[in-house]
Amino acid sequence: MVEQITAMLGLVGVLSILCQWLGWKLRTPAILPLLLCGLLVGPVFGVLNPDAIFGDLLFPIISLGVAVILFEGALTLNFSEIKDHGRMVTHLVSIGTLITWAIIGVSTHFIMGFGWEMAMLFGALVVVTGPTVIVPMLRSIKPKSQLSSILRWEGIVIDPIGALLAVLVFEYIAVAAEPTSHILHSLAYMLGIGLGVGALAGYGIGQIIRRGLVPHYLKNTAVLTIMLGVFVGSNLIQEESGLLTVTVMGIWLANMRGVDIDDIIEFKETLTVLFISGLFILLAARLDSQALLQLGWQGVALLLVVMLIARPISVWCCGVGTSLTRADKWFLSWVAPRGIVAAAVSSLFAIKLEKLGIPGAEQIVPLVFLIIIGTVVSQSLTAGAWARFLGVKAGSAQGLLIFGASKFSRELAKVLLSKNIPVILADNNWDNIRLSRMDNIPVYFGNPASEHADNAIDMTGVGRLLVLSPYRQLNPLVTFHYQDFLGKTKVFGLNNSEANSARHQLSESYLKRLCLFGENVSYARLASTMAKGGVIKSTNLTESFNFENFKQRYGEGALPLIYLQDGRVNLVTGTLESLPNGIELISLLSVEALAEAQASDELKAQKETDVELPILNG
């Protein structure tokens, strides 16, 4: 039996990696291959039967997995940031959540015949979307920037809000099912434990991080283990209070001042691939295919209510008073896929409710999976065509993501932003990020090739990556990561001489992209020029002052970087022979180039004076 459990755990781990890779390769939400894989190894072929294999261990595995999911989602809920993403996002995650919950809950009661408590629980479970399904879909659809930003931030913020709502409804049902307890008293006690212990634990972890009481290499592990300990301890104090506790704990930590949790959020990456993905396969393998079929027309009708009634009403109500057009609202009305939070939380609640003998509990999981399958499949296949029909597809993305926030990058970003060109600076050096923020430049602190960056960086309007960092080990990783996302012709780097040494043998395809700003321009040259007093300047090239005049004025100390023409951003790569008139050239001017230009101006002024003197004397 031990060998069988070990083999199944190994199989689930391998399958989770393959499904994640397949989702990445096909540019679709990984939840689809994970779901299909779980159904194939479970109810279809019978290779994996989680209940028979894991027995009493299955419930703790699912329980701890859901705790991790809710805690990680809560870490992203920073209240001060919600208002920064527009009125529509704020409305969708507040008013829109309540509208969606009410419509789906009422519809579930009348269509499926659920009791009011179970109907409202189901409604709370399926209000969430989530970045893991939204972000891959947006990359494929490429709607205009405002719509992409709204959907992305709605998915990030609504995850913990929807989960908290579902937990509260579940707590009410669990307490109400106890014949010996007074509902209000027990519910108040459970809420008190969840809110109190969660806030206290969040504050305690915040103090540990703020004061540096654990070394950096232990921080992520310490937070994870403390969170799991608090989850178990809260359940021991008051049964079923653990999920509320870890959700409140994460929200408190996210909103605590002076606490840097970016590194903590990144711990989700390994867990997502190995733990949460594996958990989703186990959940799908437990699904009874007959239970899905038995939902019949009622299940399909409820799916249509979720997609065609609840979502549009929510969007149109939340859109009142915003600048969104009718086409924008119709697009938002269609895109709202459900994700892994709904699947994981519903599976855990179903197990608990079945033990309590609540009618309809056995139908919760297949119904939630039907909503997930229906929304993800239908919207993934049709959202792109719908965006084209409505005319809300984004135009050519002219913005730049720059890896490396050195002084050169910051000065270049400031010039481009002044020309209304979107720029994001990414760096894992905090001092560079701090200085960038002081200049009001959009930034990302951390590794831009991480999954956290995929969800956190708003790539709306960004079409190219410039690798301008001194990190020789990380530069190729970032390059290849964004080649898969943006395309091989959209990623450029500097030709650092060190990269060609025998110690750093790189692929030919990578070396071909190392031609940014010229064949022999390195990071060291740019940094040295800036350190000596070089400046980045914008110059209009016209018939009276063309590129030849520009070179004569500034000499060899001028390095052309980028030129703007008809609203398009053109990068200077390789050997530059000439440039057309009617463009705006952005270049790096060394101290020598500035001195040469000043000498040229003085000489020109002197000549004009010499011409005027005879006239005055006459």
Side-chain angles (χ1 to χ4, degrees), residues 100 104 121-129 306 338 342 367-368 371-372:
T100 304
I104 296 176
L121 175 62
F122 175 78
L125 287 169
V126 295
V127 298
V128 296
T129 55
V306 171
R338 271 56 178 183
L367 197 54
V368 168
I371 301 299
I372 293 173

Side-chain angles (χ1 to χ4, degrees), residues 63-305:
S63 183
L64 292 177
V66 172
V68 171
I69 293 173
L70 295 186
F71 177 69
E72 185 278 328
L75 285 175
T76 64
L77 186 56
N78 191 319
F79 294 120
S80 65
E81 293 182 355
I82 296 178
K83 64 179 183 294
D84 295 335
H85 301 291
R87 181 183 299 177
M88 189 62 183
V89 174
T90 306
H91 287 179
L92 283 173
V93 301
S94 54
I95 302 171
T97 298
L98 296 177
I99 292 174
T100 304
W101 177 41
I103 293 175
I104 296 176
V106 172
S107 301
T108 304
H109 172 71
F110 288 107
I111 294 176
M112 301 301 301
F114 284 8
W116 281 111
E117 293 88 353
M118 289 298 295
M120 299 313 291
L121 175 62
F122 175 78
L125 287 169
V126 295
V127 298
V128 296
T129 55
T132 55
V133 286
I134 283 289
V135 172
M137 195 176 292
L138 292 177
R139 289 177 180 171
S140 175
I141 301 168
K142 296 181 179 178
K144 61 184 185 181
S145 60
Q146 184 183 17
L147 298 180
S148 180
S149 180
I150 289 172
L151 287 170
R152 177 174 160 274
W153 279 104
E154 179 198 9
I156 291 173
V157 175
I158 205 172
D159 244 1
I161 291 177
L164 181 59
L165 177 62
V167 169
L168 291 175
V169 177
F170 169 77
E171 306 289 17
Y172 175 81
I173 296 174
V175 169
E178 291 290 339
T180 59
S181 66
H182 188 279
I183 293 178
L184 293 179
H185 176 269
S186 298
L187 185 61
Y189 184 63
M190 186 174 293
L191 291 177
I193 295 296
L195 296 173
V197 175
L200 186 63
Y203 177 79
I205 291 180
Q207 289 295 327
I208 291 173
I209 296 172
R210 182 186 290 170
R211 299 181 181 184
L213 299 180
V214 294
H216 181 76
Y217 76 95
L218 281 180
K219 184 167 69 172
N220 293 348
T221 306
V223 171
L224 175 61
T225 52
I226 292 173
M227 181 274 296
L228 293 176
V230 169
F231 169 72
V232 174
S234 181
N235 279 335
L236 291 175
I237 298 173
Q238 173 62 46
E239 192 174 0
E240 313 299 352
S241 65
L243 294 178
L244 178 59
T245 299
V246 296
T247 304
V248 173
M249 178 179 169
I251 294 174
W252 186 284
L253 196 57
N255 291 274
M256 193 170 175
R257 291 183 179 180
V259 178
D260 181 17
I261 61 171
D262 289 335
D263 289 342
I264 300 172
I265 295 176
E266 287 191 15
F267 87 86
K268 171 209 172 192
E269 294 185 20
T270 303
L271 293 177
T272 299
V273 176
L274 295 178
F275 186 52
I276 299 178
S277 299
L279 175 64
F280 196 76
I281 292 178
L282 291 177
L283 297 177
R286 293 186 72 248
L287 192 62
D288 186 354
S289 56
Q290 291 299 317
L292 268 176
L293 297 176
Q294 288 172 3
L295 293 174
W297 68 266
Q298 294 97 332
V300 176
L302 188 58
L303 172 63
L304 294 177
V305 168

Side-chain angles (χ1 to χ4, degrees), residues 357-375:
I358 305 296
E362 70 282 354
Q363 290 183 287
I364 283 287
V365 173
L367 197 54
V368 168
F369 271 82
L370 176 64
I371 301 299
I372 293 173
I373 296 170
T375 54

Side-chain angles (χ1 to χ4, degrees), residues 480-498:
F480 290 128
H481 179 83
Y482 281 91
Q483 280 182 357
D484 293 325
F485 173 34
L486 299 173
K488 292 185 177 181
T489 61
K490 302 294 185 179
V491 178
F492 300 88
L494 297 170
N495 188 13
N496 298 308
S497 58
E498 295 87 355

Side-chain angles (χ1 to χ4, degrees), residues 528-547:
S528 175
T529 302
M530 295 299 296
K532 294 177 181 178
V535 298
I536 296 177
K537 183 179 180 181
S538 174
T539 307
N540 291 314
L541 298 186
T542 63
E543 291 186 4
S544 59
F545 188 82
N546 57 27
F547 186 55

Side-chain angles (χ1 to χ4, degrees), residues 344-415:
V345 177
S346 65
S347 298
L348 178 63
F349 287 175
I351 294 174
K352 294 183 176 183
L353 293 173
E354 286 176 19
K355 290 181 179 180
L356 294 173
I358 305 296
E362 70 282 354
Q363 290 183 287
I364 283 287
V365 173
L367 197 54
V368 168
F369 271 82
L370 176 64
I371 301 299
I372 293 173
I373 296 170
T375 54
V376 174
V377 172
S378 62
Q379 293 170 14
S380 294
L381 294 177
T382 61
W386 183 236
R388 284 192 296 271
F389 174 77
L390 294 172
V392 296
K393 292 275 283 186
S396 177
Q398 297 299 308
L400 302 175
L401 171 63
I402 300 177
F403 176 46
S406 63
K407 183 179 180 181
F408 170 81
S409 299
R410 296 194 299 271
E411 294 301 317
L412 177 61
K414 285 194 288 186
V415 173

